[in-house]
Amino acid sequence: DVKVTQSSRYLVKRTGEKVFLECVQDMDHENMFWYRQDPGLGLRLIYFSYDVKMKEKGDIPEGYSVSREKKERFSLILESASTNQTSMYLCASSSRTGENEKLFFGSGTQLSVL
Amino acid sequence: AQSVSQHNHHVILSEAASLELGCNYSYGGTVNLFWYVQYPGQHLQLLLKYFSGDPLVKGIKGFEAEFIKSKFSFNLRKPSVQWSDTAEYFCAVSSTSGTYKYIFGTGTRLKVLA
């Protein structure tokens, strides 16, 4: 089974801190994604990457950056955390295999910014 | 702009009732369509998907969805729900032209009463 592992299940940070959220997948997938999930707003795409060192902005990239130095790892960075970034962050990966295409999700990181 | 609309935010049903959750999308070009489910305390997982061919697709646990191209809709149905179907359901769309970007709806929380 594909595994998408997010480094932390819960994180509490202070306003202004730099925050790193790590995600690792073990199935050699080309595509990786970061979403945030908020009640009533569903999943909103922050950034995605379709190859090593490649990144594309999603719908809400402001206040975030990403890094993909290795194929299996996709990091989300909050340069200076703010309270409105308190959310559940979901990492996902997928392959480019046509009819088999689907997203595999991690368990999520619940980030609280105080 | 690309978007996915889910009309029902909260649905409460009794066991054995029939379910239909609405999903409409706005996305240029040919699309792939998905329904994902998140059971309480679990990560998101694929319920079913449509890529091409028969517009009526069947998924896991007795769910099905119908793609109506003229209405830009992909509604999810189940003839008889069970208590174990209590979950949050998300409709999603991706482009077939290789941008690898998935857009999700805001989700529908389904509660099934035993």
Side-chain angles (χ1 to χ4, degrees):
Chain A
D1 254 1
V2 173
K3 207 168 200 179
V4 179
T5 303
Q6 294 183 230
S7 53
S8 305
R9 186 73 180 92
Y10 299 96
L11 269 182
V12 180
K13 297 292 182 180
R14 296 216 174 269
T15 302
E17 277 193 80
K18 190 169 186 175
V19 181
F20 292 86
L21 302 183
E22 305 286 344
C23 176
V24 177
Q25 50 94 2
D26 66 359
M27 279 299 288
D28 203 35
H29 285 167
E30 296 86 1
N31 308 324
M32 296 189 75
F33 306 82
W34 276 106
Y35 290 89
R36 61 178 284 178
Q37 182 179 10
D38 299 287
L41 297 177
L43 276 71
R44 293 180 291 167
L45 181 63
I46 305 172
Y47 268 97
F48 64 105
S49 167
Y50 52 88
D51 206 345
V52 176
K53 296 193 188 292
M54 305 302 288
K55 60 185 179 184
E56 293 279 345
K57 292 181 180 179
D59 297 316
I60 51 162
E62 298 77 20
Y64 303 94
S65 63
V66 290
S67 170
R68 191 152 181 215
E69 296 297 318
K70 293 185 178 181
K71 192 175 186 180
E72 67 271 18
R73 186 179 297 269
F74 192 36
S75 303
L76 180 69
I77 303 151
L78 288 67
E79 294 290 341
S80 177
S82 63
T83 55
N84 63 12
Q85 292 177 310
T86 291
S87 186
M88 171 67 82
Y89 289 88
L90 296 175
C91 177
S93 71
S94 76
S95 66
R96 302 175 197 163
T97 52
E99 294 280 325
N100 292 323
E101 176 193 342
K102 70 176 186 179
L103 286 171
F104 292 86
F105 283 89
S107 299
T109 296
Q110 179 62 54
L111 173 67
S112 296
V113 183
L114 306 178
Chain B
Q2 302 156 347
S3 66
V4 177
S5 298
Q6 291 183 241
H7 319 297
N8 319 97
H9 299 294
H10 291 91
V11 173
I12 301 175
L13 294 172
S14 299
E15 272 194 316
S18 64
L19 170 72
E20 181 160 3
L21 301 182
C23 173
N24 286 89
Y25 66 93
S26 171
Y27 206 110
T30 309
V31 296
N32 299 320
L33 295 155
F34 307 82
W35 276 96
Y36 283 83
V37 60
Q38 188 172 34
Y39 297 104
Q42 296 187 27
H43 59 266
L44 276 148
Q45 57 188 283
L46 182 69
L47 199 56
L48 50 76
K49 61 185 180 182
Y50 171 81
F51 277 46
S52 62
D54 188 344
L56 184 63
V57 293
K58 295 190 186 298
I60 59 172
K61 303 188 181 187
F63 285 90
E64 64 180 32
E66 185 175 12
F67 170 51
I68 303 179
K69 190 174 180 180
S70 60
K71 294 185 177 181
F72 300 93
S73 71
F74 190 55
N75 292 353
L76 181 71
R77 299 195 293 249
K78 186 171 184 179
S80 176
V81 295
Q82 301 173 306
W83 177 81
S84 57
D85 294 324
T86 294
E88 190 160 17
Y89 294 81
F90 295 92
C91 182
V93 60
S94 71
S95 169
T96 61
S97 61
T99 61
Y100 314 115
K101 184 179 172 181
Y102 296 77
I103 302 295
F104 282 78
T106 52
T108 298
R109 285 186 183 270
L110 171 66
K111 183 165 184 166
V112 180
L113 305 174

